[in-house]
Amino acid sequence: MTPALCIVLHDVAPATWSACERVCRYVQSLAPAHAPLPMTLLAVPQYHGCSPSPLFERWLDVAAARGDELVLHGYTHRDDGAPRGWLDHARRRWYTAGEGEFAALSQREATQRLRAGMSWFAQHGWPLHGFVAPAWLLSEGSWNALDELGFAYTCTLGGLVALPSRERLRSQSIVYSCRSAWRRAVSLGWNAAVARHERDQPLLRLELHPCDAEHPRVLSSWLGLLEEALRKRRALTLAHAAAECFGAHDGTALLGANAR
């Protein structure tokens, strides 16, 4: 695989729309003239329980027509289950701020939410290849549901995963945590180290969140890493990267552009 870069924007929803647009503008400021950088937008159908917005959905229409990939990213992006024990509580309430929606679902529960998300994609005719869980947390039931529903790929924090074979390509995410000053400070050093460690890997994943353009030092950090990566790597969507990495999948969408 020729060295590739995936620029992935999480938590794309009406409530985060303006912040998402800002991140996208910064990304595209590094694009060659008349050649937008392809992005992968992780869209949430009912983010924190809020209903979709027709204006927001038209924005997603434009993004998809431009060549960005839309990916299902949970259904509500909220973990509404009860943690089991202190370790599970720390992972699901502290590490993820209560947003690891698919961390502990049964296969039946995961299937219901995935089907609801797939229906949202189908209503709008958006091609659907992959699913990325909030905080990359997937229960075994969720893994099984993804296999059975025919998704081509998913991601973990540390890699890109083909479905249903579960073949993995190691690719440690560059991702910032902006919830507090100390998290932002740690992120700067950590992500610089991750970028150095991953520089010879076939796939580099820059995983952005809507808040990543709000803090000057964080913004400067990821823009610098992106600019450096673009000198050596081709920007691809996750679906194109999965098709190139794993070969067996031909790139056909689970839902096609004529699905509406």
Side-chain angles (χ1 to χ4, degrees), residues 77-80 91-101:
H77 207 281
R78 177 174 284 166
D79 182 354
D80 49 15
R91 182 180 70 142
R92 293 167 60 189
R93 291 291 183 267
W94 181 76
Y95 168 66
T96 71
E99 295 194 320
E101 182 184 3

Side-chain angles (χ1 to χ4, degrees), residues 4 29 37-38 52 113 123 131 153 176 180 189-190 200 205 209 225 227:
S29 72
L37 293 170
R113 298 189 192 208
Q123 288 168 15
F131 172 81
Y153 73 84
Y176 294 82
S180 64
W190 171 256
D200 296 325
R205 291 157 58 210
H209 286 81
L225 294 177
E227 186 172 23

Side-chain angles (χ1 to χ4, degrees), residues 1-227:
M1 179 183 180
T2 304
L5 165 71
C6 288
I7 308 164
V8 184
L9 180 57
H10 290 237
D11 306 349
V12 178
T16 64
W17 183 11
S18 61
C20 288
E21 286 190 307
R22 189 178 182 204
V23 171
C24 290
R25 286 195 296 270
Y26 276 113
V27 168
Q28 298 306 333
S29 72
L30 299 181
H34 310 297
L37 293 170
M39 297 180 65
T40 300
L41 307 181
L42 306 190
V44 188
Q46 292 191 10
Y47 184 75
H48 290 192
C50 295
S51 299
S53 154
L55 284 175
F56 168 73
E57 290 165 342
R58 283 199 285 274
W59 180 72
L60 291 181
D61 285 335
V62 171
R66 184 175 58 234
D68 293 340
E69 180 191 3
L70 307 185
V71 173
L72 183 60
H73 186 46
Y75 191 70
T76 66
H77 207 281
R78 177 174 284 166
D79 182 354
D80 49 15
R84 296 184 296 273
W86 70 268
L87 185 60
D88 194 41
H89 186 278
R91 182 180 70 142
R92 293 167 60 189
R93 291 291 183 267
W94 181 76
Y95 168 66
T96 71
E99 295 194 320
E101 182 184 3
F102 281 72
L105 296 181
S106 67
Q107 183 172 346
R108 179 183 61 81
E109 292 168 328
T111 297
Q112 289 175 341
R113 298 189 192 208
L114 289 167
R115 286 195 182 279
M118 291 165 63
S119 176
W120 183 57
F121 269 68
Q123 288 168 15
H124 295 282
W126 299 326
L128 179 59
H129 299 266
F131 172 81
V132 176
W136 300 283
L137 294 177
L138 285 163
S139 64
E140 188 56 36
S142 297
W143 280 103
N144 292 336
L146 289 174
D147 290 342
E148 291 202 358
L149 289 173
F151 285 87
Y153 73 84
T154 188
C155 294
T156 64
L157 178 64
L160 179 64
V161 185
L163 297 172
S165 68
R166 303 197 189 179
E167 180 184 356
R168 294 172 182 260
L169 175 72
R170 194 184 73 77
S171 175
Q172 179 67 35
S173 296
I174 294 175
V175 59
Y176 294 82
S177 179
C178 292
R179 292 206 305 268
S180 64
W182 74 264
R183 284 175 177 264
R184 293 192 293 273
V186 170
S187 290
L188 298 176
W190 171 256
N191 285 311
V194 171
R196 288 193 298 270
H197 189 264
E198 297 291 299
R199 62 176 174 263
D200 296 325
Q201 295 298 322
L203 177 63
L204 183 68
R205 291 157 58 210
L206 176 60
E207 309 265 356
L208 300 171
H209 286 81
C211 62
D212 287 349
E214 296 174 6
H215 304 281
R217 293 184 66 198
V218 170
L219 174 62
S220 177
S221 174
W222 68 257
L223 278 176
L225 294 177
L226 175 57
E227 186 172 23

